[in-house]
Amino acid sequence: MFECHLLPPAESLDLIARDSGLMQRHSRKFSAAGFLLALLQSVTKGDTYHNHLVMHLGSFVRTSMTRQAIHQRFGPASSAFLLGVLHTVLAKRFPTVIRDLRGGLFGRVLIEDSVVISMAKSNAENFPNHGNGRCATAGCKCLLLVNLLNGMPLDFQLHAAREADQSLVFESVNGCRKGDLLIRDMGFICIASLREIGRR
């Protein structure tokens, strides 16, 4: 989903960062674009330590931050920033689909899916992943619920990597309302959840 041509330009990322409270002023040690790309690099490489983030961010800014400084950037503001970026990417990625669905049969089109993010093996004790019984691996499961019509994420959760999708089946069902279309893969389906959706 995060193809380079879909990512907002640096100026737009700065605006999202200011709106979310992630940035208040220009800094030689921090930029919204650098922060986002550093996070994406860390996720794809499994580098989850703060010093890895600092090294990745250092490629995009003039002066490197400390591990403590990058740690302080994480909180509600960084989450709001990432959700804002996701909203922008979804709106850009699916403009035709969203336009065709608006004003249709459904008030909201909810997309739900999960993905397991790998981490460095040293995190295996606290974040065990599936190692197929051969070795200790680490990771976590990210669960995302998005309203496709406006591109707004409705929920984002972190779960254990080994937690089955079916155990999360009611996470989105509890937020469903009349007129919604909920799209998710078969791993989330169970009869009890379908009955609950039908009652709403």
Side-chain angles (χ1 to χ4, degrees):
M1 184 168 62
F2 286 104
E3 294 98 332
C4 290
H5 70 278
L6 291 176
L7 291 177
E11 297 78 14
S12 297
L13 290 173
D14 285 343
L15 289 174
I16 297 170
R18 289 192 176 92
D19 289 342
S20 64
L22 181 65
M23 284 175 47
Q24 274 96 43
R25 61 184 182 277
H26 177 75
S27 171
R28 292 182 301 171
K29 297 183 179 182
F30 187 85
S31 73
F35 181 67
L36 176 63
L37 293 173
L39 287 175
L40 292 175
Q41 283 186 350
S42 292
V43 167
T44 55
K45 294 181 178 180
D47 299 332
T48 55
Y49 292 112
H50 287 119
N51 59 338
H52 292 142
L53 277 173
V54 167
M55 287 188 292
H56 293 319
L57 178 60
S59 302
F60 305 102
V61 293
R62 295 180 183 177
T63 308
S64 294
M65 299 183 81
T66 64
R67 289 179 299 171
Q68 294 80 8
I70 196 73
H71 172 74
Q72 292 172 357
R73 292 283 180 167
F74 288 96
S78 61
S79 297
F81 167 72
L82 293 173
L83 288 173
V85 172
L86 187 58
H87 165 72
T88 304
V89 170
L90 286 173
K92 189 174 181 181
R93 178 67 176 83
F94 302 107
T96 307
V97 174
I98 293 172
R99 186 184 66 240
D100 292 342
L101 287 171
R102 282 183 180 141
L105 297 174
F106 306 104
R108 299 187 303 175
V109 177
L110 308 181
I111 308 292
E112 181 183 35
D113 204 359
S114 67
V115 63
V116 174
I117 305 295
S118 297
M119 298 180 179
K121 291 182 180 180
S122 55
N123 293 313
E125 184 177 347
N126 296 317
F127 299 95
N129 200 350
H130 298 282
N132 295 326
R134 298 177 182 175
C135 62
T137 58
C140 66
K141 176 170 285 191
C142 300
L143 179 69
L144 179 65
L145 180 68
V146 175
N147 180 2
L148 184 63
L149 296 187
N150 61 12
M152 286 300 296
L154 301 176
D155 196 12
F156 179 80
Q157 301 176 13
L158 289 176
H159 294 273
R162 294 179 178 176
E163 193 168 355
D165 285 346
Q166 197 165 75
S167 68
L168 308 173
V169 69
F170 286 100
E171 296 299 320
S172 62
V173 171
N174 292 332
C176 284
R177 57 192 191 212
K178 186 176 181 180
D180 286 349
L181 171 63
L182 177 59
I183 301 174
R184 51 190 183 168
D185 65 37
M186 291 294 289
F188 289 96
I189 301 300
C190 74
I191 298 300
S193 69
L194 295 176
R195 286 175 178 157
E196 181 60 30
I197 291 172
R199 284 194 287 266
R200 292 174 181 269

